Amino acid sequence: MNVIDKLATYEDQISPGISACVGCNIELTLRTCMKVLGPNTIFAIPPGCMGGVGVVGWDKQSGAKTPVFFPLLDNVASMLAGIKLHYEHIGRHVNVVAFAGDGASVDAGMQCLSGAAERGDKLIYICYDNEGYMNTGYQRSGSTSKGAWTSTTPVIDGHGGKKQNKKDFPMIMAMHDIPYMATMSPAYIPDMVKKLEKAMQVDNGLAYLHVYNPCVTGWGCKSDESIEVARLAIETNFAPLYEVENGKFSMSVVVKNPKPVREFVTRFKKFRHLTDEDIEGLQQLTDVRYARLQKLCQE
Amino acid sequence: MEFISEYIVPIGKEGLKIVDTGKWRTRKPVLDKSKCVKCGACLMYCPVNSVRKVADGSFEINYDYCKGCGICAHECKKKAIAMELVKEEK
Amino acid sequence: MATVKVINGNMAAAIGAKLCRPDIIAAYPITPQTPIVEYLADFVTGGELHSTVSEVESELSAMSVVTGASLAGSRVFTASASQGLSLMYEPYFRASTLRLPVVMAVANREMISPQTLWGGPQDSLTVRDAGWLQVYVEDNQEILDTMIMAYRMAEDKNVLLPVNVCFDGFYLSHMSERVEIPEQEQVDAFLPTYHPEHILLDPLKPMAVDPLTTGALLTEYRMKHMMAQQNALKLFEKLDKEYGKKFGRSYGGAVEAYRCEDADYILVTMGSMVGVAKDRVDEARRNGIKIGLLKLRMIRPFPAEQVATVLAGRKAYGVIDRNVSFGWNTGITYEEVCAAMYRANSFVPNIAFIAGLGGEDVTGKHIDCAIKMIVEQAGKTECHPTIWLNRKDMGI
Amino acid sequence: MKEIRLHGIGGLGTVKAGEMLVHATVASGKYGNSTPMFGFERQGAPVTSFVRLSNEKIRAKNQVYNPDCTLILDPSLLISAPVFEGMKEDSVAVLNTQVSDAQSLITSPNIKRVAWLDATTIALEMLGRPITNTIMLGAFVKATGWVDKVELEKVVLKFFGEKNVETFRRGYNDVKLFDFS
């Protein structure tokens, strides 16, 4: 079955109406992931955008058709590990999945996630990286890019913004030598579907999926350009698509003539104050990280 | 003591929580089937799962929950989807 | 037939847990609780216990793993102390508000600073208002027996709350003594298999756990939680009697009143110092002082009625705390006892003692001094300033 | 009830020695408890262990201040630790020392009997390591008679094996006794 037919026929596991922002590509990522994962899935939505928009639910109603719960911001992976251990203990297969933002993954929840990865807890951990705490009003996180405006790294009279580089978190997870690590993008849905299917096949440890999801509201994008902007992150090599299967790195999408990073960062508000020098800095970081990745792919 | 709820911890199982997001839109996507090449981009990228594939292999937009984001129109390579202003209902 | 062994308090907790056959165990090492984790790992590796153990990277994860497993339907066990307990505070609180029947042993240890690792219940008493049931015990046999009762209480449909079985670090955790270990069949007959119904993450019965909830509904959950705690108070007395019938040992339920019937004076305390205090009460009786001892076993829920019933009408009472209640300048259980007396509309002259902080030894002489001061308190209407028994200027 | 205070340094098996006394006593149908007191666990640091033995259930779980017996596993502790503090009247001291007239080392008037031997030399000779605990337990049993020798031998065998049963017996046989009149 081709991807369109899969997406047309798989049941949507999320409430038909959830309060995500208009044009939110995380909603797209969530629905796509859950369609592929299917009904035999328990998933955790820690505090963050997808929790805030009601995926877990409201009072006695649920926001999803499969079991879903709010873990704490900092214990997503270990709470899920407990659930998975229960099902392994009774000998039943269930997909146990995290759908967590970058705050709950690269910052507060990193210890638990790293522990679960090291122990080989059999989870599928999906991190939607929108570069900050978008649900609580656009604060910076360890995943926010250098220079970005956030509400805790404000820009006043053209000065300010985040002073540090973004954590290369997919690489950090890959270095745990987990069985499967992949980066994904809402602009590359067939690639996403393929990677989810691979993650579901992993039976000897943690599968980590990192989705680069530009945030329409927090970043100041136009809602209809939500996918285009996500695509530009790939086409500029700013957030390259790759996977690591049992230690083997490979590029999922090779961009033949990468566009300058400038084309990506000038498309929305959070980088609009950047000077040429700042943009050059982001370009250099992109080049360095991409070269490192290429080297790993050649090994 | 009488309680309203039978539950002792917060759990949701009395039904799906649904928000009528169809009311959010100011513009709505309108598909011109004559320009459509049935590539499925609209279905693939619709964040609210409002595009359906029908029996003849073509696509239809369901307006119940469509938020009017315009992604389908923007992503359509053949410009087969137009965003039209929603008329005020009387 | 029970077997008799010489074991330390940590082993008593580990064997108690083992006899209850938990499905999932997750705990992180911290002095003085560490051996519990090691013993259980040995049981599992040696094939004596068919549990799944998760070697977590922190106490935060220990509590998170067991709450996750409990949410999915497993019987679970964890253990911690002191800084470890405070690191798990976030999921700790939540285990109770999710009404998960987690059982957790606490080898009580003082909180830093200054740096310390010795015994004292400051750790678990500080989190007494996080919704758990807390039982404090006196010796190793009571650790083991209480572990078994704890699972029955936690999993009872009218309770469904997590339980802490607390025992003083080092004084009990590392003290070896004679303990009778019941047979597995006996325990199985007392503790049925756990079948969760109230909350469950299972794709065959999809539900959301913890959707956003309004204050009105949250209020209802809190009321039910508080009622469940009161149910636990009654159940604990009942279980204690049933346990006594089946295993030959019972402890009096939420409190134990020792030589209180005709007592003019009562000494109130808990934990590992109870034994030496009973010895000194006997000695005081030999010297003509009519004193009894009230041992607090349950601190949450607080057995207010039982405490007030025992203390009402006496000439004086005193409470020895191995902990402090910051802001009150007394120990924590002293304040709880005072509140119970106030609610019972009963005033008895009284005095607060603090002793044994940071694992300092509470000696017979300390208890003798406390008894003397309680006797002197008779007839007074003003509260006596707190006495710090271990302070050098007390000269004991 | 008999209360015993064991003085050792990390690595000598002081805590284990206390526990073995309890094991043997419980095996005889009696009661006992053993409470170790130490700081951060490491070799070479002073370790004290408190043991109570009784025909009845023992309630006290605290330290021993007025021992019926002090058991000193290393000679250095005679100088570095208050090993004779609070001794009960007519009490017993069991010493590991090379001194030939150990009664001269006793500074407490309450001690009635002194038992001593050069346990370190015996340990080095028999085990190749200066671990004196089982030798000292042999000396203790001979000096006090408070614990059944056969039961304690069984416990030593279970804890450490045949070789330590030999060291235990050597301690029992070699210990010298002196009673103050």
Side-chain angles (χ1 to χ4, degrees), chain D residues 151-169:
Chain D
E151 288 296 348
L152 193 49
E153 273 183 2
K154 283 192 221 160
V155 173
V156 171
L157 181 68
K158 200 174 129 198
F159 271 60
F160 296 113
E162 196 63 55
K163 208 163 191 185
N164 284 79
V165 175
E166 282 168 34
T167 58
F168 172 81
R169 287 182 182 149

Side-chain angles (χ1 to χ4, degrees), chain A residues 180-197:
Chain A
Y180 190 64
M181 200 305 291
T183 61
M184 315 198 293
S185 164
Y188 291 78
I189 295 290
D191 176 73
M192 182 184 283
V193 170
K194 195 180 76 198
K195 286 170 175 169
L196 282 159
E197 286 167 345

Side-chain angles (χ1 to χ4, degrees), chain A residues 36-77:
Chain A
V36 178
L37 290 161
N40 189 31
T41 300
I42 294 169
F43 75 117
I45 302 262
C49 284
M50 286 301 108
V53 303
V55 175
V56 182
W58 173 247
D59 272 359
K60 286 173 279 177
Q61 291 179 308
S62 174
K65 295 173 192 169
T66 62
V68 59
F69 71 104
F70 259 119
L72 301 165
L73 190 70
D74 47 21
N75 79 351
V76 184

Side-chain angles (χ1 to χ4, degrees), chain D residues 65-115:
Chain D
Y65 294 90
N66 302 111
D68 297 279
C69 175
T70 180
L71 183 64
I72 302 149
L73 280 79
D74 189 87
S76 67
L77 294 157
L78 284 161
I79 299 154
S80 63
V83 291
F84 300 130
E85 196 175 273
M87 296 303 292
K88 213 175 269 177
E89 251 177 70
D90 293 337
S91 54
V92 182
V94 186
L95 277 62
N96 171 13
T97 177
Q98 294 182 343
V99 174
S100 57
D101 56 339
Q103 66 271 26
S104 66
L105 300 169
I106 303 300
T107 54
S108 164
N110 287 350
I111 291 172
K112 171 87 175 156
R113 169 170 280 194
V114 194

Side-chain angles (χ1 to χ4, degrees), chain A residues 199-246:
Chain A
M200 288 170 74
Q201 295 305 313
V202 172
D203 63 357
N204 59 340
L206 189 134
Y208 179 80
L209 303 169
H210 192 99
V211 200
Y212 193 66
N213 283 104
C215 168
V216 282
T217 311
W219 295 20
C221 303
K222 287 183 188 147
S223 66
D224 61 341
E225 292 179 3
S226 170
I227 299 298
E228 190 193 345
V229 166
R231 190 179 292 117
L232 277 168
I234 314 303
E235 290 173 345
T236 55
N237 286 339
F238 193 81
L241 289 174
Y242 65 101
E243 62 185 350
V244 190
E245 283 176 274
N246 299 314

Side-chain angles (χ1 to χ4, degrees), chain C residues 4 6 115 117-118 138-139 170-172 174-178 258 272 275-276 278-279 282 359 361-364, chain D residues 19 22-23 26 29-41 57-65:
Chain C
V4 171
V6 174
Q115 187 61 251
L117 48 73
W118 293 281
E138 169 188 346
D139 60 29
F170 293 108
Y171 286 105
L172 295 188
H174 285 59
M175 182 269 296
S176 296
E177 66 177 346
R178 180 189 190 280
Y258 177 74
S272 65
V276 69
K278 282 176 179 168
D279 284 350
D282 286 355
D361 199 24
V362 179
T363 67
Chain D
E19 286 174 4
V22 176
H23 277 264
V26 169
K30 297 175 190 171
Y31 293 82
N33 69 31
S34 157
T35 310
M37 273 302 135
F38 34 47
F40 294 92
E41 296 173 39
K57 197 175 173 206
I58 302 162
R59 291 190 299 211
K61 314 293 174 193
N62 62 346
Q63 300 177 21
V64 168
Y65 294 90

Side-chain angles (χ1 to χ4, degrees), chain C residues 55-70:
Chain C
E55 302 114 39
V56 285
E57 83 297 333
S58 70
E59 286 88 355
L60 172 72
S61 278
M63 184 51 74
S64 304
V65 165
V66 297
T67 49
S70 184

